[in-house]
Amino acid sequence: MKALVAVKRVVDYNVKVRVKADGSDVDIENVKMSMNPFDEIAVEEAVRLKEAGKVSEIVAVSLGGKKSEDTLRTALAMGADRALHIETDEKLEPLTVAKLLKAVADKEQPHILLLGKQAIDDDAGQTAQMLAALMNAAQGMFASKVELTEQEAVVTREIDGGLETVALTLPAVIGVDLRLNEPRFVKLPNIMAAKKKTLEKTSPADLGVAVVSHLNVVRVAEPKARQTGVKVANATELVDKLKNEAKVI
Amino acid sequence: MSVLIIAEHDNQQLNPATLHAVKAAAGLGEIHVLVAGSNVAAVAEAARKIQGVAKVLVAEAEYYRHGLAEELAALAVKSAEPYRYLLATASAFGKNLMPRVAALLDVPQISDLTEIVDGNTFVRPIYAGNAFETIQTSSEKVVLTIRAAAFETAAAEGGAAALEQVEAAAEQKLSRFVSQELIHSDRPDLGSAKVVVSGGRALGSAEKFNEVLTPLADVLGAAIGASRAAVDAEYAPNDFQVGQTGKIVAPQLYIAVGISGAIQHTAGMQDSKVIVAINKDPDAQIFNIADYGLVGDLFEIVPQLTEALKA
């Protein structure tokens, strides 16, 4: 069984981004970048499925500028077998990303496709579902457990009131949640070994996908600042403030 | 221009998420609501009564019972033709379904809207709520999910929408429902509660989490939330998590107990009207956004607070 994993290079989750003074975007120059945390979990799950003998090959894919290569090398160091970099400097909307991944899936014919449930930069949470739609495949979003049989992926999903389990015909697209696993640390010998693995480059044009833009970001703004609060001395004073000043209880 | 809202329900009751969606859609055009499920007469009736809804479309099939995205997306696409906007709440249900609908229609989606400026202009948070982008689209059709906490609810009574049965779409059979494990609670729903009491890692154990927070939540009639650290340590179940990747809440009062205030947590609660922080670390980030801060040992303060509230 072949697994395809999509990974995105994003601003590191610990960085608090600032909005540019001209309101055109957030300022991410000279900011630490990392693999999207959900995508790390997707890679880890693919590697575990391989270690369990369920998956024979893992292909990692990333879309973006030249530096997305670093993210793919990380995926290779974690245990992916080879990587595909769709190189473009254009800003891609999730629908375009899904179309590009669909083109890759048409070529590679994976049985299971693992993606993060959302990227922590755009917070859109659309790509996995869109990819499943374009492939006319089943989707298992917000997965906290994945079991593979010959024909099906049995996925436990995190839903608002608890958990739900669904069985998906293969090939299936899985959007992973935080609780699925704990990604491994990459060791130095694995980083060295990853440099020898195949990293192929392609482009949206090679894949026959037009990069179109439907959405125009007209402005990026800071969130409304909250008023500075006060410290209170004890519980009695707090209750008094909540009752008589804030009037919320 | 009209709007089709995909109703969220459990075949018996309409989820309040749909009331937020109707309120949000009020400026976009005539509102129709699609109720898909199995034996959903009561849900359809509830949808008819929502103020602002002009028509309720009802599609019944056994394979709509569990809200599988593969089945519902096919139905939404089949019903989509007359509408410019297809809309749902950005709950687990809406997040799962709507991007699939958008891709099948080959149209863009704008996720988790916090403001609708006009029919082509929308505001949404990015980077865990550290920035808000204003997006314009001239797309002929667009799929939207709205952040419930950012919109009021439409009145549940007073409407008298027309009811129309629509044919189910062909069964997709790509996935099947296996089981569900729901956590039953008498507490208000976390997403719509007026007061939320949330605990973090500092609670130390599941026993302490319950022992300390439950009496306080009881006296306030509050829902209980948790930080990711508390959920990962299994002090609280997953669906208690408040934050970028959990639930987004905006109650009247949010009490953060033993929570440091990481960006990923504050993304889910920083729009609360009043924030109270109880933490022994005076430099904890949570105090930067708290209206009222109390520095000290939560194991002493929370019981004192509970007592003071009873008085």
Side-chain angles (χ1 to χ4, degrees):
Chain A
M1 225 180 259
K2 191 195 268 191
L4 188 79
V5 188
V7 294
K8 184 177 184 184
R9 181 173 182 264
V10 299
V11 169
D12 188 85
Y13 75 98
N14 276 313
V15 174
K16 188 173 165 126
V17 295
R18 300 265 169 225
V19 173
K20 286 183 185 170
D22 65 0
S24 61
D25 205 346
V26 293
D27 188 1
I28 56 168
E29 281 204 22
N30 307 315
V31 161
K32 187 185 176 202
M33 305 291 280
S34 303
M35 188 189 292
N36 182 41
F38 293 100
D39 303 350
E40 266 189 289
I41 293 166
V43 175
E44 175 67 31
E45 194 65 16
V47 175
R48 289 187 190 190
L49 287 168
K50 191 179 176 193
E51 287 167 349
K54 302 270 188 188
V55 159
S56 49
E57 190 189 21
I58 303 167
V59 183
V61 189
S62 194
L63 303 84
K66 191 155 184 6
K67 291 207 167 149
S68 296
E69 213 180 294
D70 303 347
T71 309
L72 284 170
R73 289 287 171 204
T74 306
L76 292 170
M78 286 176 74
D81 295 293
R82 59 190 174 87
L84 183 66
H85 180 192
I86 305 172
E87 198 171 346
T88 172
D89 286 320
E90 289 191 75
K91 198 177 166 190
L92 304 175
E93 289 169 13
L95 185 56
T96 309
V97 174
K99 285 178 181 176
L100 287 162
L101 293 174
K102 157 78 163 56
V104 172
D106 284 345
K107 265 194 190 164
E108 297 281 347
Q109 297 287 319
H111 303 86
I112 178 167
L113 298 94
L114 293 151
L115 288 82
K117 73 163 180 178
Q118 78 192 66
I120 60 164
D121 51 2
D122 67 19
D123 282 332
Q126 301 172 11
T127 305
Q129 302 91 316
M130 287 181 159
L131 174 59
L134 299 175
M135 291 177 64
N136 191 32
Q139 66 186 57
M141 291 306 300
F142 324 126
S144 61
K145 192 176 170 196
V146 175
E147 282 174 289
L148 270 187
T149 68
E150 285 296 312
Q151 291 85 28
E152 282 185 334
V154 180
V155 174
T156 301
R157 310 174 49 227
E158 295 196 10
I159 57 171
D160 285 339
L163 298 170
E164 174 184 284
T165 303
V166 288
L168 315 174
T169 307
L170 299 178
V173 178
I174 295 173
V176 311
D177 216 322
L178 279 177
R179 240 71 62 181
L180 182 59
N181 62 46
E182 183 121 354
R184 67 197 60 197
F185 287 106
V186 178
K187 298 191 189 94
L188 188 61
N190 297 354
I191 295 173
M192 300 312 287
K195 288 185 178 163
K196 297 201 182 89
K197 291 184 181 174
T198 315
L199 194 156
E200 197 188 327
K201 279 189 188 288
T202 182
S203 70
D206 288 343
L207 290 165
V209 175
V211 177
V212 285
S213 169
H214 296 283
L215 306 173
N216 180 26
V217 176
V218 289
R219 198 165 75 96
V220 176
E222 296 273 354
K224 277 182 221 122
R226 291 189 72 94
Q227 276 194 333
T228 319
V230 293
K231 295 251 168 79
V232 294
N234 54 49
T236 323
E237 191 187 341
L238 177 59
V239 172
D240 175 63
K241 295 264 192 200
L242 291 177
K243 275 188 178 149
N244 301 317
E245 196 176 272
K247 300 191 195 316
V248 285
I249 52 170
Chain B
M1 297 289 182
S2 52
V3 192
L4 183 65
I5 293 175
I6 321 294
E8 184 167 347
H9 64 86
D10 62 1
N11 297 302
Q12 284 148 25
Q13 275 188 320
L14 190 68
N15 190 302
T18 305
L19 299 176
H20 290 280
V22 172
K23 187 73 174 184
L28 293 175
E30 188 172 297
I31 298 173
H32 296 182
V33 173
L34 174 64
V35 176
S38 178
N39 298 321
V40 287
V43 180
E45 192 50 33
R48 273 191 67 211
K49 290 187 188 150
I50 304 173
Q51 260 182 34
V53 177
K55 196 197 274 185
V56 175
L57 308 178
V58 183
E60 298 212 59
E62 180 52 33
Y63 47 88
Y64 294 147
R65 176 177 293 277
H66 299 292
L68 293 171
E70 295 83 354
E71 304 297 347
L72 291 188
L75 176 67
V77 167
K78 185 170 172 269
S79 316
E81 210 272 320
Y83 304 100
R84 180 172 184 218
Y85 308 96
L86 283 96
L87 188 149
T89 309
S91 56
F93 170 82
K95 287 182 194 171
N96 184 36
L97 172 63
M98 299 311 269
R100 190 172 180 104
V101 176
L104 292 174
L105 292 168
D106 195 25
V107 304
Q109 171 171 319
I110 305 175
S111 298
D112 205 18
L113 303 178
T114 52
E115 192 186 334
I116 296 176
V117 180
D118 61 44
N120 296 316
T121 316
F122 308 91
V123 180
R124 63 178 300 269
I126 51 175
Y127 290 91
N130 282 306
F132 282 76
E133 61 177 15
T134 303
I135 297 184
Q136 264 178 356
T137 183
S138 51
S139 176
E140 250 175 72
K141 234 186 234 315
V142 60
V143 172
L144 308 171
T145 62
I146 61 114
R147 173 174 289 196
F151 297 92
E152 303 285 316
T153 51
E157 298 288 335
L163 208 59
E164 186 183 314
Q165 296 287 330
V166 297
E167 207 186 315
E171 190 175 4
Q172 304 295 304
K173 292 186 182 165
L174 292 166
S175 63
R176 64 187 165 85
F177 173 85
V178 177
S179 64
Q180 218 173 49
E181 217 180 296
L182 297 179
I183 293 150
H184 291 284
S185 160
D186 297 333
R187 293 195 180 284
D189 172 59
L190 182 56
S192 53
K194 293 233 170 357
V195 181
V196 174
V197 174
S198 258
R201 199 202 309 266
L203 269 305
S205 70
E207 293 72 36
K208 288 282 175 199
F209 189 95
N210 288 324
E211 194 183 305
V212 173
L213 297 186
T214 306
L216 177 60
D218 283 345
V219 67
L220 287 164
I224 297 184
S227 70
R228 183 186 165 190
V231 171
D232 280 351
E234 295 181 4
Y235 302 169
N238 297 345
D239 72 319
F240 277 36
Q241 187 177 326
V242 171
Q244 182 183 19
T245 69
K247 296 214 172 76
I248 311 286
V249 302
Q252 293 288 302
L253 173 60
Y254 188 93
I255 304 182
V257 177
I259 291 176
S260 64
I263 318 169
Q264 290 79 15
H265 183 75
T266 57
M269 44 66 81
Q270 61 198 359
D271 292 324
S272 304
K273 183 164 177 254
V274 173
I275 297 173
V276 169
I278 299 169
N279 204 298
K280 68 176 178 196
D281 174 9
D283 297 323
Q285 285 177 51
I286 192 78
F287 287 120
N288 297 335
I289 62 160
D291 299 283
Y292 301 108
L294 193 41
V295 179
D297 182 355
L298 70 92
F299 295 105
E300 287 169 22
I301 291 171
V302 176
Q304 286 167 2
L305 180 59
T306 308
E307 284 310 308
L309 284 163
K310 279 182 191 161

